[in-house]
Amino acid sequence: SVDSSHVWLETRRGSRIEAFFVDRRAQMTVLFSHANAEDVSMVFAWLRELSLRLGVNVLGYSYTGYARSSKPPSELDVYADVDAAWDYLMQRKVDPKRVVLYSRSVGSGPTLYLAERLSSMNTPPAGVVLQSPILSVFRIAFDFRYTLPGDLFPNVDRVGGARCPVLVIHGTHDEVVPFWHGQELFLATRPEWRFKPFWIPGAGHNNIELLLRDSG
């Protein structure tokens, strides 16, 4: 049986965020962090499809400042948001060793924050999937060698702290987050945790699933 729960999560920074949990009593669970131009209600049908096709439970959540949240978005709030989502799974007695952190685009920020935090506690997740990820926000526009003060989501500095398999997926013709972001994140991952990357020829930022579906 499959249950879909619509819940509101309270974060440590006082936000109330929307979340959906698709529970099919599966052994594996995916914690999904969405992209910038969407929220969890917009991708709910996709979350259910992901759960069905992979045979996994899926939790998706919206960030503070998105959907029906009343606060403006901030980097610290987003980190508190993903922590609240993780805490919800733990309250549901989900095995932390059987949770995969999956992100799209800017969702790579909270995903790698959480992966690094859990790894530092010797409780890493089962794995991390980064689809069209960013190195950092400033680097979307500029190819900086070092992270500058004020930059947001410095993923390139965090991915090396992940102590679990990391899969990077990126389209070679991404017009929003350049392909080299995915390449550099792959190289910044510790060699023993690098999963073979999935580069998709001709894919852009928002059509990866469509291209893969059409190709079978």
Side-chain angles (χ1 to χ4, degrees):
S1 64
V2 180
D3 293 331
S4 297
S5 301
H6 176 227
V7 297
W8 291 90
L9 307 177
E10 303 287 339
T11 80
R12 65 173 180 271
R13 288 175 57 84
S15 297
R16 191 166 180 264
I17 59 171
E18 189 175 21
F20 285 99
F21 185 48
V22 182
D23 184 6
R24 58 176 57 251
R25 316 294 194 271
Q27 289 191 346
M28 299 298 297
T29 299
V30 170
L31 173 52
F32 178 72
S33 297
H34 65 76
N36 183 48
E38 60 192 16
D39 59 53
V40 70
S41 61
M42 295 169 62
V43 299
F44 176 65
W46 181 85
L47 295 177
R48 284 186 61 90
E49 181 73 9
L50 181 73
S51 173
L52 175 64
R53 286 181 176 263
L54 297 184
V56 298
N57 313 311
V58 179
L59 174 65
Y61 66 101
S62 287
Y63 310 134
T64 297
Y66 288 68
R68 286 173 278 183
S69 171
S70 59
K71 290 178 64 178
S74 77
E75 182 183 19
L76 292 179
D77 275 313
V78 170
Y79 296 152
D81 298 341
V82 74
D83 281 338
W86 179 263
D87 290 344
Y88 173 79
L89 290 178
M90 298 304 100
Q91 292 163 11
R92 298 277 305 226
K93 307 302 182 185
V94 171
D95 185 349
K97 299 184 185 66
R98 292 183 174 273
V99 179
V100 173
L101 309 181
Y102 181 20
S103 67
R104 204 150 53 192
S105 189
V106 74
S108 53
T111 287
L112 285 173
Y113 153 80
L114 182 59
E116 182 185 50
R117 183 175 73 79
L118 295 174
S119 296
S120 71
M121 299 165 58
N122 293 317
T123 56
V128 169
V129 179
L130 306 171
Q131 180 179 325
S132 309
I134 65 172
L135 285 171
S136 70
V137 169
F138 283 1
R139 288 179 174 90
I140 296 174
F142 303 101
D143 185 8
F144 293 128
R145 291 191 62 188
Y146 304 101
T147 300
L148 299 182
D151 201 357
L152 305 177
F153 303 128
N155 293 333
V156 67
D157 302 324
R158 285 208 165 107
V159 69
R163 301 295 193 268
C164 61
V166 177
L167 168 63
V168 183
I169 303 169
H170 217 119
T172 61
H173 286 53
D174 193 320
E175 71 287 357
V176 177
V177 179
F179 174 46
W180 57 266
H181 279 239
Q183 293 175 303
E184 291 295 324
L185 272 180
F186 170 74
L187 293 175
T189 302
R190 291 172 67 97
E192 65 267 32
W193 297 120
R194 290 177 189 162
F195 203 86
K196 183 179 179 181
F198 188 18
W199 310 138
I200 305 170
H205 192 68
N206 298 308
N207 66 343
I208 285 178
E209 290 90 350
L210 183 63
L211 282 180
L212 293 178
R213 185 185 67 189
D214 291 345
S215 65

